[in-house]
């Protein structure tokens, strides 16, 4: 299965669809992710490492606070993104991810909690769904697949972090299920995967392939052997697309922006290039306020 990419930097289309917003200044940047077809009621994006400093694995824009970056730098990045989106900092919601298949609903009750209590609810969570408008939900990745989902008609959005464990555990399907519980219809959901490690870069041991097979995946369909090394390489984007299709999302509504985080580590954070003590690419989804 092939994927047609689609992305663009903040620009005229963003401003036209989302009103007059501040653009991230200096080295900070946001890249729009494009769902297939027109979606005017929501936005999805990846953050970029634009202007990254050589030798600094946390530069330039990092929103993740549990990989060793300084709290001040993380806070600076979060405030910059919120300013670009035109929202207050407490309207930016992200979980503490631990490669689970847990999905949390971001609703008014969660938003009303003090920040420490909110984060306690979001511990060990790797996907979020919401029907709230003007709230940006997101996940942090550094090679893992990030998936932004929306049913514009229902006014429901979701975002998932799918490393190999989450992909094998079908976190994408669980996210679709959680969106459906909020009123979405799987056949209407559009899903876009942002920058994440490509098959050529994602070399794995046989135990990983076996883990996928135990979950019902066909190794022949999602992986390929490197004839020179004999090592397996898994196509995580394709595997997640298969999960989404099995959950009822139409094949024509699924896409990947086509960029590999490891191949383009100057543009995105990559744990395989920079080490796990590095920043993370933030993938955000936000439903637009009604006119």
């Amino acid at each position: 299965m092939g994927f047609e990419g689609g992305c663009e930097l903040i620009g005229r289309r963003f401003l036209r669809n989302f009103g007059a917003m501040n653009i991230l200044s200096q080295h900070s940047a946001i890249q729009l992710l494009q769902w297939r077809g027109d979606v005017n009621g929501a936005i999805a994006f990846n953050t970029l490492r634009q202007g990254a400093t050589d030798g600094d694995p946390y530069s330039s824009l990092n929103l993740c606070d549990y990989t060793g970056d300084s709290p001040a730098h993380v806070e600076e990045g979060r405030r910059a993104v919120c300013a670009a989106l035109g929202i207050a900092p407490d309207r930016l919601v992200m979980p503490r991810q631990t490669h689970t298949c847990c999905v949390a609903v971001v609703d008014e009750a969660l938003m009303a909690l003090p920040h420490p209590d909110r984060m306690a609810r979001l511990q060990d969570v790797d996907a979020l769904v919401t029907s709230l408008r003007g709230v940006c939900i997101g996940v942090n990745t550094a090679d893992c697949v990030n998936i932004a989902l929306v049913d514009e008609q229902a006014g429901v959005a979701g975002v998932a972090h799918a490393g190999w464990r989450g992909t094998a555990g079908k976190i994408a399907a669980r996210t679709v299920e959680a969106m459906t519980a909020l009123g979405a219809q799987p056949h209407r959901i559009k899903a876009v995967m942002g920058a994440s490690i490509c098959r050529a870069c994602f070399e794995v041991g046989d135990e990983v392939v076996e883990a996928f097979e135990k979950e019902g995946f066909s190794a022949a369909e999602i992986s390929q052997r490197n004839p020179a090394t004999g090592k397996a390489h898994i196509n995580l984007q394709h595997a997640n697309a298969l999960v989404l299709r099995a959950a009822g999302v139409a094949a024509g509504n699924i896409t990947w922006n086509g960029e590999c985080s490891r191949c383009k580590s100057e543009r995105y954070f990559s744990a395989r290039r920079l080490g796990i003590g590095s920043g993370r690419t933030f993938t955000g989804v936000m439903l637009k306020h009604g006119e």
Side-chain angles (χ1 to χ4, degrees), residues 258-280:
E259 293 192 287
C260 171
S261 50
R262 184 176 182 271
C263 290
K264 296 188 175 182
S265 58
E266 78 288 349
R267 184 172 173 81
Y268 305 99
F269 289 106
S270 168
R272 290 212 170 190
R273 287 285 193 196
L274 302 169
I276 59 172
S278 59
R280 298 293 185 265

Side-chain angles (χ1 to χ4, degrees), residues 109-146:
L110 182 75
M111 295 300 294
L113 293 175
H115 184 73
D117 295 337
R118 182 192 296 181
M119 292 312 301
R121 295 277 187 92
L122 297 178
Q123 176 71 28
D124 300 322
V125 168
D126 283 77
L128 301 172
V129 298
T130 192
S131 59
L132 299 180
R133 297 186 177 275
V135 172
C136 180
I137 58 174
V139 294
N140 292 288
T141 61
D143 289 328
C144 296
V145 176
N146 50 86

Side-chain angles (χ1 to χ4, degrees), residues 35-77:
W35 288 289
R36 287 197 174 162
D38 291 332
V39 175
N40 296 315
I43 183 176
F45 62 90
N46 282 160
T47 55
L48 299 174
R49 293 191 72 211
Q50 185 168 311
T53 302
D54 288 343
D56 181 356
Y58 297 103
S59 68
S60 56
L61 182 63
N62 173 45
L63 277 60
C64 187
D65 64 358
Y66 51 85
T67 61
D69 198 1
S70 73
H73 185 243
V74 171
E75 183 65 20
E76 177 188 6

